[in-house]
Amino acid sequence: MQNLLPEPPATRLPVNDEADAALAAAEEAGTDEAFANVAARFPTNSAAWAALAARAFAQEQVVTAYAYARTGYHRGLDQLRRSGWKGHGPVPWSHEPNQGFLRCLYVLSRAADEIGEADEAARCAQFLRDCDPEAADALASN
């Protein structure tokens, strides 16, 4: 059966050059404190939360990773809605400002699975794939 309804347009989060520069400096510093400072300075920017979540997950601090990822996920949902997203439709991985939100969604799924929240893990994994299958594949291969 073919879906005759048009798919909503892709949602692209706005570029934030100041937050991007702060995040690049944090990446150079390479410390949790540097990333935390970016998240505190730009709390609506999911990329900083995604970096904190990924770092915590890599250090096997699963509950901390879950908390960071959930924060970035919710801040990202707020930004998506402000950008015209209606709760469904593509959120392209190829648009770099979207990647922070998508990374948060990925780590949230993995951390939820680790703490025994199988339903949430599955929902987040499916939501990521619904946003952009390319994101799910790219993140899973890292």
Side-chain angles (χ1 to χ4, degrees), residues 24-62:
E27 287 171 6
E28 266 190 47
T31 65
D32 292 343
E33 182 180 1
F35 286 103
N37 287 336
V38 176
R41 190 168 160 212
F42 301 98
T44 63
N45 186 290
S46 291
W49 296 108
L52 286 167
R55 291 172 67 83
F57 195 84
Q59 297 166 13
E60 298 182 7
Q61 298 172 359
V62 178

Side-chain angles (χ1 to χ4, degrees), residues 3 7 9 16 26 36 48 59-60 64 72 82 94 102-103 112 116-117 122 131 136 140:
N3 183 356
E7 184 164 309
N16 183 332
Q59 297 166 13
E60 298 182 7
T64 301
R82 280 194 297 277
S94 60
L102 297 167
R103 287 180 192 279
E117 289 286 334
C131 285

Side-chain angles (χ1 to χ4, degrees), residues 2-17:
Q2 181 182 4
N3 183 356
L4 299 176
L5 296 174
E7 184 164 309
T11 302
R12 290 175 173 78
L13 293 176
V15 173
N16 183 332
D17 291 330

